[in-house]
Amino acid sequence: MQKIRYTVTTLSPILISKLSGDRNMTETFDYIPGRVMLGIFASKYIKAKQLTNAAHNDDNFVKYFLTDDVIFTNALLTKDNKDLVPTPFSIQKSKEDESVLCDLLFKEFDDEYEQTKYLGGYNLKEDSIVKHATVDKSLNFHHARDENTNTSKEGMIFNYESIGKDQEFTGYLIGEKIKDFKDIFKEEFEAFIGRSKTAQYGRIKVEMGNVEEYNPEVTTVNTLTFLSDVILYNENGQSTTDLSVLKKYIYDKLLREIKIDKAFIKTSRIDNYVSVWKLKKPSETAFASGSCFFISGLNREDIEKLKEIEKSGIGERRNEGLGRIKFGLQGEISSGKELKSESKNDDAPEIVPEIVKNIVEYSIQETIKRQIKSSAINDSIDFYFKNKKDALSNSLIGRLESFVKTGQTIEDFKSNLDRLRKTASDNIKKCNFDGTDFFEYMKNKNITASNITVESAFSSIASEDVKKLYNVESDTDFNRNLFKDYYLTFFSYLRKQMKGGKNK
């Protein structure tokens, strides 16, 4: 198998929008999705071959762009001419001393560092030193426009988050005998991607490297790390994050059972629009990039097979950059180092208009709420499928919802749980979720911006200067009500699934 390294340089801010529940805020990914690069190359191929609307009749077009013969990986951040990878979720930093890092796949923090949070961003591990970096982003404010008159709406503002210009991202084209593919394109070309390409966004430069043999290095076999989102289908053809399905995928490749001893997982929803179809692709549940696992059951005799798995990836839609994995990437770490950005953002003004502060506060709060609600929806889906036999009754769900609505704090909610009659509490305890019974899950789950979503929310909102305008962790009123967003969404979505299941 062969590979071609390609580099994307942002010549202007770029906005590749992802799912957002806020109509006044458009967020961006912090990488260039493989499906976007596939679209760029497909468009240029059609123009070069003058295929217009008959591209599907061209055998090479079908082979290159409509099958898994050529894989277009995501383009990830590059610093100091080194390719970085998404930071695994197990790599945490201490809240007391953020210079102290630990990979929880291998060991726990010392007792003196009681609270930790996800490092986030990208990283490169050299020996035991983790070098980490984040994508430079900016938040741009625009007047909302009236679609009928094409004029600005007075007092209405929407926000574009964008990847800053002058940053480099690298990805790979992977396939058998892809030299013929490369010969179709120039060594270097410019293109436009993402939203608002007719405005000041979206201009990039693409540079293609040489064709090389692809022989990934695997030195250890005890960890598995997802470098992109991964879609796996169960026996019913549904996308899932069930670990038993992941183990089956590995077994089908190796013909050897593996055991997952420890896992750090987040889920994501993949939902994108296909302009040729003028439709969205079906929404999929996926393991999020950064999910990682400590595995046993493999030995060094499996290394060559593991290399083959890495080459092709696992799961669905691999030609779009999904399903990229790495064995043996992680190990014990001793410290971290920040890779500074080469681009320079303007300093934040010393005097900030009040309206800007309000917009920043609103944007951060709405982002956190969306993430909590998204987490609740994903948790509700997992809970429903894992507890069909011991499903909660509608009346008991209604009782729990009333506890959420009437409680002023999460402590009030937990106190009300203790007042349930034994029959009700026993029915709740029959349901297992997240490694414990559901009653204990609700008793132990803390829902605040600081311990659930603040890191990812901040990294997707703005630069460090903007973060200083609003400290969400110290906003007690905002944090006090977050548990309501989670549980009301959880129970509401659970009702919908139960109702849908009965109608089928």
Side-chain angles (χ1 to χ4, degrees):
M1 190 169 285
Q2 298 175 322
K3 67 177 181 179
I4 300 171
R5 185 177 188 265
Y6 71 86
T7 302
V8 175
T9 303
T10 58
L11 302 180
S12 67
I14 62 174
L15 168 58
I16 304 174
S17 60
K18 60 181 180 180
L19 288 177
S20 172
D22 183 358
R23 60 182 299 179
N24 295 318
M25 176 70 184
T26 300
E27 298 176 46
T28 186
F29 287 101
D30 61 357
Y31 60 91
I32 316 296
R35 60 177 171 79
V36 172
M37 298 308 301
L38 185 155
I40 289 174
F41 283 105
S43 176
K44 288 196 168 294
Y45 182 92
I46 290 171
K47 290 180 180 178
K49 299 295 184 178
Q50 298 180 342
L51 300 178
T52 59
N53 294 326
H56 58 284
N57 294 323
D58 182 275
D59 291 341
N60 282 331
F61 181 88
V62 173
K63 180 176 70 172
Y64 293 150
F65 304 109
L66 301 181
T67 70
D68 290 334
D69 280 13
V70 178
I71 294 171
F72 299 78
T73 75
N74 297 335
L76 307 177
L77 183 66
T78 299
K79 294 283 187 181
D80 298 336
N81 294 319
K82 295 180 178 180
D83 295 351
L84 307 181
V85 298
T87 301
F89 293 133
S90 61
I91 298 183
Q92 304 275 319
K93 59 184 175 182
S94 165
K95 286 187 176 181
E96 290 81 8
D97 183 354
E98 295 197 354
S99 66
V100 177
L101 304 181
C102 182
D103 192 330
L104 299 182
L105 277 184
F106 293 89
K107 68 175 186 178
E108 301 295 326
F109 269 92
D110 296 332
D111 292 339
E112 60 180 303
Y113 304 114
E114 295 182 358
Q115 292 187 316
T116 66
K117 58 182 178 180
Y118 173 48
L119 178 62
Y122 288 82
N123 85 95
L124 171 69
K125 183 172 176 287
E126 295 180 335
D127 296 324
S128 63
I129 306 298
V130 169
K131 298 181 179 180
H132 56 99
T134 56
V135 174
D136 290 331
K137 296 182 182 181
S138 59
L139 192 64
N140 303 280
F141 306 110
H142 298 266
H143 285 288
R145 303 192 70 82
D146 188 311
E147 295 180 357
N148 296 320
T149 64
N150 199 32
T151 58
S152 298
K153 293 182 180 179
E154 185 176 353
M156 295 295 291
I157 294 177
F158 69 91
N159 313 307
Y160 269 175
E161 180 195 49
S162 59
I163 296 174
K165 68 176 183 177
D166 301 324
Q167 297 184 87
E168 285 192 355
F169 299 80
T170 58
Y172 290 87
L173 310 177
I174 301 172
E176 297 286 354
K177 300 179 181 179
I178 54 177
K179 183 179 183 303
D180 292 342
F181 176 86
K182 184 192 174 184
D183 290 343
I184 300 169
F185 304 95
K186 297 179 180 178
E187 296 286 336
E188 177 182 318
F189 59 86
E190 291 188 8
F192 284 85
I193 62 173
R195 295 278 299 274
S196 295
K197 293 187 289 289
T198 57
Q200 71 266 40
Y201 300 97
R203 184 165 160 254
I204 62 171
K205 178 177 68 175
V206 179
E207 299 172 88
M208 298 180 66
N210 297 322
V211 177
E212 303 174 12
E213 289 301 314
Y214 183 29
N215 187 30
E217 181 180 2
V218 177
T219 56
T220 60
V221 297
N222 59 349
T223 66
L224 170 61
T225 309
F226 288 175
L227 305 183
S228 70
D229 289 353
V230 176
I231 300 174
L232 302 181
Y233 286 161
N234 62 19
E235 59 185 6
N236 299 316
Q238 297 173 318
S239 55
T240 180
T241 55
D242 190 326
L243 291 184
S244 65
V245 176
L246 170 60
K247 289 192 286 187
K248 184 178 185 304
Y249 267 79
I250 301 298
Y251 177 82
D252 289 344
K253 297 283 187 177
L254 291 175
L255 299 180
R256 185 193 291 273
E257 295 281 355
I258 66 166
K259 181 181 178 183
I260 297 177
D261 300 312
K262 192 182 289 188
F264 289 80
I265 298 169
K266 289 186 179 180
T267 59
S268 65
R269 300 293 295 179
I270 298 177
D271 186 6
N272 57 282
Y273 182 81
V274 182
S275 58
V276 175
W277 298 351
K278 294 181 170 53
L279 290 170
K280 286 185 176 181
K281 282 189 175 181
S283 183
E284 305 275 15
T285 299
F287 288 95
S289 172
S291 295
C292 53
F293 313 85
F294 193 95
I295 57 180
S296 57
L298 300 178
N299 56 52
R300 296 191 63 81
E301 295 176 0
D302 298 308
I303 283 181
E304 291 305 316
K305 291 182 179 179
L306 298 181
K307 289 181 180 180
E308 293 303 314
I309 297 175
E310 283 190 16
K311 288 178 183 179
S312 58
I314 63 172
E316 312 304 317
R317 294 168 60 174
R318 290 175 289 118
N319 64 320
E320 299 176 27
L322 302 175
R324 306 309 301 166
I325 64 174
K326 181 67 182 173
F327 290 97
L329 176 68
Q330 296 175 239
E332 290 193 23
I333 58 179
S334 60
S335 60
K337 177 183 178 181
E338 184 177 1
L339 290 169
K340 296 292 186 181
S341 170
E342 296 178 357
S343 62
K344 297 181 180 179
N345 293 325
D346 294 332
D347 293 334
E350 294 183 3
I351 300 176
V352 181
E354 193 65 28
I355 186 173
V356 174
K357 292 182 180 179
N358 292 338
I359 290 172
V360 170
E361 178 178 339
Y362 171 80
S363 297
I364 292 176
Q365 288 183 351
E366 289 303 305
T367 298
I368 291 173
K369 287 180 181 179
R370 288 196 304 276
Q371 291 177 343
I372 284 181
K373 290 179 180 180
S374 176
S375 174
I377 291 173
N378 289 327
D379 288 348
S380 176
I381 294 171
D382 290 343
F383 180 88
Y384 172 72
F385 283 107
K386 291 176 180 177
N387 295 281
K388 282 186 176 181
K389 294 182 180 179
D390 299 307
L392 300 177
S393 66
N394 276 321
S395 61
L396 185 50
I397 293 175
R399 188 78 185 278
L400 295 174
E401 284 178 321
S402 70
F403 289 168
V404 177
K405 293 176 181 177
T406 58
Q408 295 300 311
T409 66
I410 195 168
E411 287 74 21
D412 294 338
F413 170 68
K414 294 177 181 180
S415 296
N416 284 327
L417 290 177
D418 289 330
R419 296 190 182 97
L420 282 169
R421 292 183 178 180
K422 187 175 184 302
T423 303
S425 61
D426 286 347
N427 286 336
I428 295 174
K429 291 176 182 178
K430 288 180 182 178
C431 299
N432 293 309
F433 188 61
D434 200 25
T436 185
D437 67 72
F438 190 52
F439 189 88
E440 285 300 312
Y441 173 84
M442 291 188 289
K443 290 283 290 183
N444 294 326
K445 187 173 183 64
N446 290 317
I447 303 170
T448 64
S450 60
N451 65 15
I452 292 186
T453 58
V454 66
E455 193 69 18
S456 55
F458 273 170
S459 65
S460 67
I461 281 292
S463 66
E464 290 293 329
D465 291 324
V466 176
K467 297 175 194 176
K468 295 175 184 177
L469 299 178
Y470 172 61
N471 186 351
V472 69
E473 295 186 24
S474 63
D475 190 339
T476 55
D477 290 338
F478 173 70
N479 280 272
R480 184 182 296 119
N481 291 309
L482 287 180
F483 82 99
K484 294 187 177 183
D485 291 308
Y486 177 87
Y487 281 114
L488 291 179
T489 302
F490 182 100
F491 292 128
S492 173
Y493 211 82
L494 183 59
R495 283 181 184 276
K496 291 179 181 179
Q497 292 175 98
M498 292 170 61
K499 182 178 180 181
K502 291 177 181 179
N503 290 336
K504 290 181 181 179

